[in-house]
């Protein structure tokens, strides 16, 4: 028998909608440029920066800064622990769907104001 | 968390993952310039052949036939070079690697059908005495196979390329069945006009802020 859904089954860091969208996009692609990710999610520079920083601090996202033809290029990718956290979050969602309802997760970190 | 919220989150995750894997480097300018080059090529072909039928090339001198083939080869090469240059520019603008996933997707999706079209063109043209009815197959075959390739690219992209591919296949089928002796017109309407319309649509989409 499957165990009931507990509040800590939902990772508070990726429960926030923009952060969940960032993790989902990076789960589908090995790496995405900052501009490309911003366009795919329809968020502002500041919003994406702040949430990406929260994910980076949690160790879920790796950010690399390089230069392409003298232009700065920021790329984001999911770390191993980020991918595992995303899998756990999906499993928790699946259990809520199967069991009908689950507890609300604890509030996660808010992005720092810019 | 309620079941409905969990379902909504799963749906949102699916939407984001689909959007992240779309091929969005659709250079509208390439399609437009390519279409205009084809229209110029069609006008030149009409002037060279004195007919709207591609099979009329068999009545040209050997030098004329070589020049006619060279004209279309040059248009094809110019289209590929233009696409490579403008796609690389679009990739730089979007902060992507120029030899990245989008370029690979376009190459992998388009090249099989283009290779088949080239092989068929070779078999239609190379016999010692090419038959006019086989030469008339060239334009519809290129239209349909190019359409198949564009449809393949469209599987990783937004709806517009899939529609363009379907339009090429449909137009190619009509040309094959009913208008084989109107090859110059078929090429102008498909590779020319359809590309220009597609390019304008992509540019308008970009201006509306659709990624």
């Amino acid at each position: 028998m499957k165990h009931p859904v507990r509040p800590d089954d939902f990772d508070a860091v990726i429960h926030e909608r923009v952060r969940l969208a960032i993790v989902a996009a990076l789960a589908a692609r090995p790496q995405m440029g900052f501009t490309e990710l911003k366009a795919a999610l329809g968020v502002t520079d500041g919003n994406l920066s702040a949430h990406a920083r929260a994910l980076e601090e949690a160790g879920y996202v790796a950010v690399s800064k390089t230069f392409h033809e003298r232009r700065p290029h920021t790329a984001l990718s999911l770390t191993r622990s980020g991918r595992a956290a995303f899998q756990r979050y999906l499993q928790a969602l699946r259990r809520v769907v199967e069991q009908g309802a689950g507890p609300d997760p604890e509030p996660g970190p808010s992005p720092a104001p810019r | 968390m309620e079941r409905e919220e969990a379902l909504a989150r799963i749906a949102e995750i699916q939407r984001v993952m689909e959007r992240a894997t779309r091929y969005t480097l659709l250079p509208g300018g390439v399609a437009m310039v390519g279409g205009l080059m084809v229209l110029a090529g069609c006008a030149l072909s009409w002037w060279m052949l004195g007919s709207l039928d591609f099979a009329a090339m068999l009545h040209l001198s050997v030098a004329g036939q070589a020049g006619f083939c060279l004209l279309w080869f040059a248009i094809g090469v110019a289209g590929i070079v233009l696409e490579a240059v403008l796609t690389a520019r679009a990739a730089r603008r979007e902060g992507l690697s120029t030899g990245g996933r989008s370029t690979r997707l376009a190459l992998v999706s388009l090249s099989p059908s283009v290779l088949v079209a080239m092989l068929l063109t070779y078999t239609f043209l190379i016999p010692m005495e090419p038959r006019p009815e086989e030469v008339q197959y060239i334009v519809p075959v290129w239209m349909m196979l190019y359409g198949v390739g564009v449809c393949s690219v469209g599987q990783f992209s937004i709806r517009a390329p899939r529609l363009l591919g379907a339009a090429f296949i449909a137009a190619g089928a009509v040309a094959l069945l009913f208008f084989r002796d109107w090859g110059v017109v078929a090429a102008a309407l498909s590779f020319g006009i359809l590309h220009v319309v597609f390019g304008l649509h992509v540019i308008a989409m970009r201006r509306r802020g659709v990624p």
Side-chain angles (χ1 to χ4, degrees):
Chain A
M1 183 180 163
K2 287 174 183 168
H3 71 79
V5 188
R6 298 186 307 261
D8 57 357
D9 282 339
F10 288 102
D11 189 320
V13 177
I14 60 172
H15 185 65
E16 197 283 329
R17 281 187 185 277
V18 176
R19 288 198 287 267
L20 179 60
I22 294 171
V23 171
L26 295 176
R29 297 267 302 274
Q31 193 178 62
M32 283 182 88
F34 186 90
T35 316
E36 189 188 11
L37 186 58
K38 188 182 76 169
L41 304 184
V43 294
T44 61
D45 277 358
N47 208 357
L48 181 56
S49 293
H51 286 297
R53 200 178 312 124
L55 287 166
E56 192 183 12
E57 283 165 5
Y60 290 170
V61 163
V63 179
S64 68
K65 292 177 191 289
T66 53
F67 279 87
H68 277 304
E69 296 172 10
R70 297 183 185 173
R71 289 162 184 260
H73 175 71
T74 302
L76 294 92
S77 58
L78 212 53
T79 62
R80 191 173 288 192
S81 65
R83 193 168 292 278
F86 182 57
Q87 293 297 336
R88 283 195 302 275
Y89 189 87
L90 286 178
Q91 281 164 10
L93 284 178
R94 204 172 296 136
R95 281 205 300 280
V96 170
V97 171
E98 285 166 2
Q99 294 171 17
D104 288 325
E106 302 292 330
S110 305
R114 288 170 61 86
Chain B
M1 182 187 283
E2 296 298 322
R3 186 171 185 270
E4 286 66 33
E5 191 192 340
L7 284 171
R9 285 200 165 229
I10 290 169
E12 176 64 15
I13 288 168
Q14 284 174 336
R15 264 197 303 275
V16 168
M17 291 178 92
E18 276 176 20
R19 217 179 302 147
T21 51
R22 278 176 182 171
Y23 171 76
T24 54
L25 282 181
L26 297 168
V30 175
M32 275 191 64
V33 176
L36 292 173
M37 281 193 319
V38 169
L39 287 175
C42 286
L44 208 53
S45 296
W46 187 24
W47 175 75
M48 285 173 83
L49 301 174
S51 162
L52 295 173
D53 185 355
F54 262 56
M57 70 172 283
L58 300 176
H59 305 308
L60 297 176
S61 64
V62 174
Q65 288 180 9
F68 185 76
C69 292
L70 197 64
L71 167 72
W72 285 102
F73 181 74
I75 289 173
V77 169
I80 292 167
V81 170
L82 192 72
E83 168 143 19
V85 170
L86 292 191
T87 305
R89 208 175 70 174
R92 276 198 300 275
R93 198 177 55 231
E94 301 284 332
L96 304 174
S97 151
T98 49
R101 171 181 165 275
S102 301
T103 313
R104 281 200 305 275
L105 264 180
L107 272 176
V108 168
S109 305
L110 264 177
S111 44
S113 48
V114 169
L115 282 175
V116 171
M118 284 166 70
L119 187 66
L120 286 171
T121 305
Y122 177 81
T123 57
F124 293 148
L125 283 178
I126 286 310
M128 288 299 285
E129 287 185 25
R131 289 159 45 196
E133 56 272 28
E134 286 188 350
V135 175
Q136 288 175 340
Y137 286 142
I138 292 174
V139 174
V141 159
W142 271 93
M143 286 163 70
M144 289 188 292
L145 285 169
Y146 179 77
V148 169
V150 173
C151 271
S152 302
V153 176
Q155 300 310 311
F156 307 98
S157 183
I158 52 177
R159 201 164 61 112
R162 288 199 293 278
L163 290 178
L164 178 73
F168 262 95
I169 295 170
V174 171
L176 180 72
L177 295 173
F178 304 110
F179 301 105
R180 279 201 298 270
D181 52 349
W182 286 65
V184 176
V185 176
L189 288 177
S190 56
F191 289 102
I193 300 289
L194 275 180
H195 271 145
V196 171
V197 170
F198 175 75
L200 287 172
H201 173 69
V202 170
I203 290 168
M205 235 169 42
R206 281 273 147 75
R207 292 212 170 132
R208 287 201 310 270
V210 181

